[in-house]
Amino acid sequence: QVQLVESGGGLVQPGGSLRLSCAASGSGLNAMGWYRQDPGHQRALVAIFSSSGTTNYDSSVKGRFTISRDGAKNTVYLQMNSLRPEDTAVYYCCANDNDRFYWGQGTQVTVSS
């Protein structure tokens, strides 16, 4: 059973930065990435890091967010720069193996002055 544990959320002023981390237990993971959800909206993809090393970003975060992955540590990171109030959401780590999709418990990111 794979478990995903996120850390790094918090309160930051507009224009600031945060780094999210997600450590995965288990092995055999393919893609790892991040989704976010704010009240009244569906959970939406932020960034994904595939097993082949390719990355994809939502257009709203391109150039501001960077996803990276440490295979040895089974950890995925999301460096978030130039944060905006509209980035406020609960951020969820995600991963999949050959059997199923997994979610973390979520970490709150609030961008406000």
Side-chain angles (χ1 to χ4, degrees):
Q1 181 75 10
V2 174
Q3 290 188 323
L4 305 176
V5 179
E6 302 122 330
S7 60
L11 173 65
V12 64
Q13 292 187 341
S17 298
L18 281 175
R19 188 191 194 211
L20 304 182
S21 300
C22 173
S25 65
S27 61
L29 294 176
N30 298 324
M32 295 184 74
W34 295 91
Y35 281 67
R36 66 186 179 187
Q37 186 172 21
D38 57 344
H41 294 87
Q42 290 188 333
R43 196 172 295 188
L45 176 69
V46 176
I48 200 83
F49 197 112
S50 75
S51 57
S52 63
T54 58
T55 58
N56 276 298
Y57 297 90
D58 180 75
S59 59
S60 66
V61 307
K62 275 184 181 178
R64 301 187 298 122
F65 291 12
T66 302
I67 190 170
S68 59
R69 185 172 175 177
D70 185 331
K73 295 181 179 179
N74 230 12
T75 299
V76 66
Y77 305 95
L78 186 68
Q79 178 65 44
M80 305 185 292
N81 300 327
S82 302
L83 282 160
R84 305 167 180 168
E86 54 264 38
D87 295 317
T88 295
V90 178
Y91 284 69
Y92 294 92
C93 179
C94 60
N96 75 298
D97 58 19
N98 291 336
D99 294 324
R100 54 165 289 188
F101 204 80
Y102 302 93
W103 293 102
Q105 79 283 1
T107 184
Q108 177 70 46
V109 171
T110 302
V111 184
S112 175
S113 55

